[in-house]
Amino acid sequence: MGFKRLIKKGLLGGAGSMIEGHIFDAIKKKKETGKSFRDCLVESVKETVTEDMPGTSHVYQMGKTDGRKLGTVEQAKRDEKKMQQMSEDHERDLQEWKKIDKEKDKLLDEMEKNL
């Protein structure tokens, strides 16, 4: 909605005052959500800066997307390492269990011979 919402907030303020537009928008949001006026006002200003204003919204959205993509790649690498480590641990445990099982079988065979 971006730019249209920015124009609407400017027009709501009467003579194009963004401050009054934010106040009216906050009152409207307060009625809709039931949050405090202050929270709604902060939300309205943040919405304008991060989503509506042509210069800042593009920078904000670009940084938000880059961070998410980078985080996803990094997380995938961490997950891959962790899965590889878990696989190696499991293989080591499996070898240890096989060794213990063979020792157990040897002991049982010795016990049978002695009986």
Side-chain angles (χ1 to χ4, degrees):
M1 207 158 131
F3 194 67
K4 290 180 185 177
R5 191 169 42 208
L6 180 67
I7 298 296
K8 183 179 173 186
K9 286 179 186 175
L11 293 176
L12 282 175
S17 170
M18 288 297 287
I19 296 170
E20 291 176 16
H22 283 295
I23 291 172
F24 288 131
D25 188 47
I27 291 170
K28 184 176 131 191
K29 285 183 181 187
K30 183 180 184 305
K31 288 178 184 176
E32 292 172 359
T33 62
K35 294 180 183 178
S36 71
F37 174 75
R38 184 179 185 278
D39 290 341
C40 292
L41 186 60
V42 167
E43 189 177 304
S44 178
V45 172
K46 181 180 175 187
E47 184 179 80
T48 299
V49 172
T50 60
E51 297 176 14
D52 300 342
M53 293 177 74
T56 58
S57 67
H58 295 298
V59 173
Y60 177 79
Q61 293 299 328
M62 184 174 58
K64 185 176 173 183
T65 305
D66 287 347
R68 192 175 318 151
K69 286 180 184 175
L70 181 61
T72 303
V73 170
E74 289 174 352
Q75 184 64 41
K77 287 179 183 177
R78 285 192 298 264
D79 290 347
E80 185 178 348
K81 266 187 187 175
K82 187 174 183 176
M83 292 301 289
Q84 186 176 7
Q85 181 65 36
M86 287 173 64
S87 177
E88 290 171 2
D89 291 345
H90 179 70
E91 189 62 38
R92 194 174 358 181
D93 288 344
L94 181 62
Q95 296 303 323
E96 184 67 29
W97 295 331
K98 285 181 180 180
K99 179 182 165 189
I100 291 171
D101 194 37
K102 285 181 183 180
E103 290 174 4
K104 176 194 63 132
D105 289 341
K106 284 181 185 178
L107 281 173
L108 288 174
D109 288 342
E110 286 179 20
M111 288 177 67
E112 276 182 14
K113 287 179 184 178
N114 290 334
L115 289 177

